[in-house]
Amino acid sequence: MNLTDIQPENQQLKKRLILVVSKGTIDMLYPALVLATTAPAMGMKVDMYFTFWGLKALTKDGVNSVKIAPVGNPGMPMPNIVGIIPGMTKMASTMMKSKIEKFWPDVYAMIKMAKDSGVKLHACSPTMGFMDVKEEDLIPEVDDIVGASAFLSWASEPDALTLFI
Amino acid sequence: MNLTDIQPENQQLKKRLILVVSKGTIDMLYPALVLATTAPAMGMKVDMYFTFWGLKALTKDGVNSVKIAPVGNPGMPMPNIVGIIPGMTKMASTMMKSKIEKFWPDVYAMIKMAKDSGVKLHACSPTMGFMDVKEEDLIPEVDDIVGASAFLSWASEPDALTLFI
Amino acid sequence: MNLTDIQPENQQLKKRLILVVSKGTIDMLYPALVLATTAPAMGMKVDMYFTFWGLKALTKDGVNSVKIAPVGNPGMPMPNIVGIIPGMTKMASTMMKSKIEKFWPDVYAMIKMAKDSGVKLHACSPTMGFMDVKEEDLIPEVDDIVGASAFLSWASEPDALTLFI
């Protein structure tokens, strides 16, 4: 695909990507992190707002434990989204994480890559409260702790592409 | 954080927030309701479109029963998104709802707060059909019952920030 | 509802809808497909980007098997989103698919309807890799196989309304 074909007026494209990361499963963290690490090369400034379950990926404990496959763990019930498609069996699920990591680094490495590309990492302040996450529990890559109004102020910029993941 | 630093041209910010509420779990209703109750103070006009599982939050039965924690209910399997993060155990989950409510009112109170701030609540008409929800089953705060084309017409306004939650 | 009331400047509405289809469950495929089949009649050009679990809906095996209800299958644990709302019982869930199909055709028929309306169907290339989906496994309706940068280039157009579903 020739991208210039679909970008006739490149200079008018949105230059800011705002990602709300609301889920803590590996299958929803990767879509966010892949976009976050792809967009800077396209000239976009990226902000990631980690809220609710997504916040755990910004904690020292969480960012490492997310490496343990959420799907296919024998001690856990099958995720619903897996059970629906025959062929997407439990065994296949067990292998998913290792397959994903043939394509991309693990979650923490992706976060560091994003950070190195200038991506800003924001922790949701009320989520920290009700999940008992202290500032010292956060990984050092976190830029700041903000609330919903900060997120809305960024997301309402005309130049922003905002996705709730 | 000084919001004026990141809002150099405040008058150009989007002034409309459109939220699709597609899930009925407490952990996805709160992100929508927190945004809906925050945005009016920032001068935004908010529309919430409740579809699929989200519609239940607009029913008399559903809006009260959602107060029963979706996570940690002994009779239910653990939600997948909880199991993934060690430390986010079942017991922690059981406490989540009470912790959330230290920060925010319960779901129905949040809906009423939103309504008082001028937020419009829209029920998805086809969802009402296949979920057997009648007009008299809806809470009185609902503004109207509309379909996908009404939603798309709002969301396609250049001034709208639209999030699918 | 008189749509002209809320579309004072119809000619300025966004004319492009970009849908990220990231989940493979029937309850998240329908919202995407209903929007995709509604938007063309409103003059919108639609692109659907199938990634992660959503990709399965573009496979020959997956698009048919998704017809088997993801909810209420006796062999599967109850989806979490169902358990939360009393009244949305397992039995009700079992009936959901048949009820949905009173309103809309099945998933593959919806995909074909979308295609007939000019909707473009894009398969996510890295997802194909880690899910072991080959090009010959895809349904013939798929337009192309692209990566995150192609998606971002479309989504960052000022005229695009982008939803992550």
Side-chain angles (χ1 to χ4, degrees):
Chain A
M1 170 170 298
N2 188 342
L3 288 188
T4 58
D5 290 347
I6 52 173
Q7 293 183 352
E9 296 150 278
N10 217 333
Q11 68 286 0
Q12 295 186 358
L13 295 184
K14 290 180 179 181
K15 288 298 182 197
R16 190 159 188 186
L17 177 64
I18 318 275
L19 300 171
V20 183
V21 185
S22 69
K23 301 179 188 73
T25 50
I26 207 167
D27 53 304
M28 286 297 110
L29 287 171
Y30 270 93
L33 289 165
V34 170
L35 291 174
T37 51
T38 303
M42 301 172 70
M44 299 184 88
K45 176 178 176 308
V46 184
D47 291 272
M48 303 183 83
Y49 182 64
F50 291 76
T51 188
F52 279 76
W53 308 113
L55 180 71
K56 282 283 172 174
L58 290 190
T59 62
K60 289 170 190 165
D61 283 352
V63 77
N64 287 316
S65 58
V66 83
K67 285 206 274 187
I68 294 152
V71 287
N73 184 326
M76 283 193 289
M78 280 273 283
N80 309 324
I81 50 173
V82 172
I84 178 176
I85 312 283
M88 180 53 67
T89 64
K90 188 168 184 175
M91 198 170 71
S93 313
T94 309
M95 295 184 295
M96 188 185 91
K97 184 183 156 288
S98 63
K99 285 181 177 177
I100 284 182
E101 291 180 4
K102 283 185 191 165
F103 288 82
W104 298 294
D106 68 36
V107 169
Y108 200 1
M110 292 286 280
I111 287 177
K112 288 174 179 170
M113 278 174 57
K115 184 80 181 174
D116 287 344
S117 305
V119 174
K120 300 290 183 194
L121 307 176
H122 310 282
C124 169
S125 48
T127 302
M128 289 183 65
F130 71 77
M131 285 197 177
D132 285 339
V133 173
K134 309 296 177 204
E135 193 162 345
E136 61 266 27
D137 299 329
L138 298 177
I139 57 175
E141 287 79 10
V142 174
D143 285 277
D144 52 18
I145 301 167
V146 299
S149 59
F151 159 70
L152 279 174
S153 68
W154 309 328
S156 59
E157 290 182 20
D159 202 36
L161 164 62
T162 305
L163 301 175
F164 189 100
I165 296 179
Chain B
M1 168 169 299
N2 187 342
L3 288 188
T4 58
D5 289 348
I6 52 174
Q7 294 184 350
E9 296 150 278
N10 217 331
Q11 68 286 359
Q12 295 186 358
L13 295 184
K14 290 180 179 179
K15 289 298 182 197
R16 190 158 188 187
L17 177 64
I18 318 277
L19 300 170
V20 183
V21 185
S22 69
K23 300 178 189 73
T25 50
I26 207 166
D27 53 304
M28 287 296 110
L29 287 171
Y30 270 93
L33 289 166
V34 170
L35 291 175
T37 52
T38 303
M42 300 171 71
M44 299 184 88
K45 177 179 177 305
V46 184
D47 291 272
M48 303 183 83
Y49 182 64
F50 292 77
T51 188
F52 279 77
W53 308 112
L55 181 71
K56 282 285 173 175
L58 289 190
T59 63
K60 290 169 190 164
D61 284 351
V63 77
N64 288 316
S65 58
V66 82
K67 286 206 273 186
I68 294 153
V71 288
N73 184 326
M76 283 194 289
M78 280 274 283
N80 309 324
I81 50 174
V82 172
I84 176 176
I85 312 282
M88 179 54 67
T89 63
K90 188 169 184 174
M91 199 170 70
S93 312
T94 310
M95 295 183 295
M96 188 185 91
K97 182 182 158 285
S98 64
K99 285 181 177 177
I100 284 181
E101 291 181 4
K102 284 185 191 166
F103 287 83
W104 297 293
D106 68 36
V107 169
Y108 200 1
M110 291 286 280
I111 287 176
K112 287 174 180 170
M113 278 174 57
K115 183 79 182 175
D116 287 344
S117 304
V119 175
K120 300 291 183 194
L121 306 176
H122 309 282
C124 169
S125 49
T127 302
M128 289 183 65
F130 71 76
M131 285 197 177
D132 284 338
V133 173
K134 310 295 177 206
E135 192 162 347
E136 60 265 30
D137 299 329
L138 298 177
I139 57 174
E141 287 78 10
V142 174
D143 286 278
D144 51 19
I145 301 167
V146 298
S149 58
F151 159 72
L152 280 173
S153 69
W154 308 329
S156 59
E157 290 182 19
D159 202 36
L161 164 62
T162 305
L163 301 175
F164 190 99
I165 297 179
Chain C
M1 170 170 299
N2 187 343
L3 289 187
T4 57
D5 289 347
I6 51 173
Q7 294 183 350
E9 296 151 280
N10 218 333
Q11 69 286 0
Q12 296 187 358
L13 295 184
K14 291 180 178 179
K15 289 297 182 197
R16 190 159 189 187
L17 177 64
I18 318 276
L19 300 171
V20 183
V21 185
S22 69
K23 301 179 188 72
T25 50
I26 207 167
D27 52 305
M28 286 297 109
L29 288 171
Y30 271 93
L33 288 166
V34 170
L35 291 175
T37 51
T38 302
M42 301 172 70
M44 300 183 86
K45 177 179 177 307
V46 184
D47 291 272
M48 304 183 83
Y49 182 64
F50 292 76
T51 188
F52 279 77
W53 308 113
L55 180 71
K56 282 284 173 174
L58 289 191
T59 61
K60 288 170 191 165
D61 283 352
V63 77
N64 287 316
S65 60
V66 82
K67 285 206 275 188
I68 294 151
V71 288
N73 184 325
M76 282 195 288
M78 280 273 283
N80 308 325
I81 49 173
V82 172
I84 178 177
I85 312 282
M88 180 53 68
T89 64
K90 187 168 185 175
M91 199 170 70
S93 313
T94 309
M95 295 183 295
M96 189 185 91
K97 183 182 157 288
S98 64
K99 286 181 176 178
I100 284 181
E101 291 181 4
K102 283 185 191 165
F103 287 83
W104 298 293
D106 67 37
V107 169
Y108 200 1
M110 292 286 280
I111 287 177
K112 287 174 179 170
M113 278 174 57
K115 183 80 182 175
D116 287 343
S117 304
V119 174
K120 300 290 182 193
L121 306 177
H122 310 281
C124 169
S125 49
T127 302
M128 290 182 65
F130 71 75
M131 286 198 177
D132 285 339
V133 174
K134 310 295 177 205
E135 193 162 346
E136 60 265 29
D137 299 330
L138 298 177
I139 56 175
E141 287 79 9
V142 174
D143 286 277
D144 51 18
I145 301 167
V146 298
S149 58
F151 159 71
L152 280 173
S153 69
W154 308 328
S156 58
E157 290 182 19
D159 202 37
L161 164 62
T162 306
L163 301 174
F164 189 100
I165 297 178

